[in-house]
């Protein structure tokens, strides 16, 4: 496959994913919802161009936003309250009864660039052209990221995207800004994910790859799983007016009741998608 064919595939998939928010998801939530699919889709389309950059510039671009994006964001947003919708599409947050924009493009593009670099390194390591194992990189960066989290959250100033701790309870330590993501959020979530992924890499040779294992099945049908559970739960909550019903135990019970049938549905969908590799199903 030549370079343009790869770019075209990325652009098409990104456009389809981005279009799901103002259409299918918005219909299910009964208001205009520009959310995570918009951020993923538009960022993916940007990667059709950015992927041609070398690894070091990609890392520098990503980390520059992660560490200094709050300074730029405060130029267009002064919480509490919403920014403008245009600013929210790129770096801030906006909410009204008719329009919700919580996943701006640039902060999530920064993460996608890091993910692309990691994927590039994994391919190089498997090809024998990189010496440091991805597992080692993940352990080091994961621990370093968690140290950054504790430092930034401890000082309770810059790096928290204006969402500061009000006390020293563990709930306040974990109450970090995701909309848009703060440095403390990036550090906590990416640190934990890096360590978990490194652990999974360590145990995979021991336990092997189970083709019907839930992690593999959900991972290979992630978009389908997301759309299905989002539409089933949010659409029913919206149109039957049960938002906020119950408590945290209700949430866990609902999850337990949903995850088993979703697993078998995703198992079926994976088989169908594999049987039609050139159909539109490959984008989901």
């Amino acid at each position: 496959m030549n370079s343009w064919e790869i770019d075209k595939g990325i652009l098409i998939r990104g456009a389809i994913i981005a279009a799901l928010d103002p259409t299918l998801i918005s219909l299910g939530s009964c208001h205009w919802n520009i959310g995570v699919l918009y951020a993923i889709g538009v960022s993916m389309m940007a990667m059709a161009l950015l992927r041609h950059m070398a690894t070091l510039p990609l890392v520098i671009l990503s980390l520059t936003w992660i560490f200094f994006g709050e300074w730029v964001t405060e130029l267009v947003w002064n919480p509490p309250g919403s920014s403008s919708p245009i600013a929210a599409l790129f770096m801030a947050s906006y909410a009204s009864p008719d329009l919700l924009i919580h996943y701006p493009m640039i902060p999530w593009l920064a993460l996608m660039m890091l993910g692309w670099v990691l994927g590039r390194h994994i391919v190089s390591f498997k090809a024998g052209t990189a010496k440091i194992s991805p597992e080692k990189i993940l352990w080091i960066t994961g621990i370093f990221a968690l140290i950054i989290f504790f430092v930034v959250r401890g000082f309770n100033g810059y790096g928290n995207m204006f969402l500061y701790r009000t006390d020293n309870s563990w709930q306040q330590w974990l109450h970090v800004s995701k909309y848009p993501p703060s440095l403390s959020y990036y550090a906590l979530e990416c640190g934990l994910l890096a360590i978990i992924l490194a652990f999974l890499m360590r145990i995979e040779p021991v336990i092997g790859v189970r083709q019907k294992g839930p992690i593999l099945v959900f991972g290979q049908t992630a978009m389908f799983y997301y759309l299905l559970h989002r539409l089933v739960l949010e659409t029913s909550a919206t149109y039957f007016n049960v938002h906020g019903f119950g408590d945290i135990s209700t949430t866990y019970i609902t999850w337990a009741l949903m995850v088993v049938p979703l697993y078998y549905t995703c198992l079926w969908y994976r088989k169908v998608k594999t049987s039609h590799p050139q159909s539109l199903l490959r984008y989901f």
Side-chain angles (χ1 to χ4, degrees):
M1 184 180 293
N2 61 41
S3 182
W4 164 239
E5 288 297 322
I6 295 173
D7 289 342
K8 184 172 70 172
I10 293 172
L11 289 169
I12 292 173
R13 187 173 190 181
I16 291 173
I17 292 173
L20 290 170
D21 264 339
T23 54
L24 196 62
I25 299 301
S26 293
L27 179 64
S29 57
C30 210
H31 61 261
W32 292 108
N33 194 324
I34 309 300
V36 64
L37 297 182
Y38 154 80
I40 292 173
V42 177
S43 295
M44 187 177 291
M45 295 174 72
M47 286 307 303
L49 174 64
L50 293 173
R51 78 179 188 89
H52 297 282
M53 295 176 62
T55 293
L56 183 58
L58 278 178
V59 172
I60 291 174
L61 275 176
S62 174
L63 294 182
T64 297
W65 182 267
I66 288 173
F67 279 90
F68 303 110
E70 186 171 322
W71 283 339
V72 181
T73 304
E74 67 182 0
L75 297 176
V76 296
W77 185 42
N78 185 27
S82 296
S83 68
S84 71
I86 297 300
L89 287 173
F90 294 98
M91 65 185 73
S93 181
Y94 178 85
S96 74
D98 299 318
L99 175 62
L100 184 65
I101 307 175
H102 271 347
Y103 285 85
M105 169 197 170
I106 297 176
W108 301 103
L109 175 59
L111 279 185
M112 189 169 287
M113 286 189 282
L114 279 186
W116 194 278
V117 167
L118 176 61
R120 183 182 286 176
H121 181 79
I122 291 173
V123 171
S124 297
F125 183 76
K126 288 186 175 181
T129 56
K131 296 181 179 180
I132 304 176
S133 72
E135 182 186 330
K136 186 174 182 179
I137 290 176
L138 287 167
W139 280 117
I140 294 172
T141 56
I143 293 170
F144 185 64
L146 290 180
I147 292 173
I148 292 175
F149 162 74
F150 283 110
V151 171
V152 172
R153 202 65 178 147
F155 277 106
N156 208 29
Y158 178 85
N160 290 287
M161 200 60 77
F162 323 113
L163 185 60
Y164 308 110
R165 287 184 296 107
T166 58
D167 56 47
N168 278 317
S169 65
W170 66 268
Q171 292 93 337
Q172 282 295 311
W173 273 84
L174 297 179
H175 188 208
V176 292
S177 175
K178 183 182 179 182
Y179 310 110
S182 61
L183 173 57
S184 56
Y185 174 87
Y186 283 127
L188 174 64
E189 300 299 328
C190 291
L192 291 174
L193 286 174
I195 290 173
I196 291 170
L197 186 55
F199 174 73
L200 292 175
M201 286 181 173
R202 174 65 60 86
I203 67 171
E204 182 186 68
V206 178
I207 66 174
V209 177
R210 302 174 184 178
Q211 288 302 314
K212 293 186 178 182
I215 294 177
L216 183 63
V217 172
F218 288 140
Q220 292 178 332
T221 58
M223 178 58 67
F224 177 76
Y225 175 90
Y226 175 84
L227 289 174
L228 190 59
H229 99 277
R230 179 80 184 262
L231 290 174
V232 169
L233 295 176
E234 185 170 28
T235 303
S236 59
T238 297
Y239 289 97
F240 291 99
N241 196 28
V242 292
H243 274 296
F245 174 79
D247 53 19
I248 189 65
S249 62
T250 309
T251 301
Y252 283 118
I253 292 171
T254 303
W255 168 80
L257 292 173
M258 284 292 298
V259 72
V260 174
L262 280 172
Y263 165 77
Y264 286 103
T265 306
C266 288
L267 192 62
W268 164 82
Y269 179 75
R270 184 181 67 172
K271 182 178 180 180
V272 173
K273 185 170 69 169
T274 303
S275 301
H276 302 83
Q278 298 304 315
S279 70
L280 284 175
L281 297 178
R282 69 185 187 276
Y283 297 115
F284 300 92

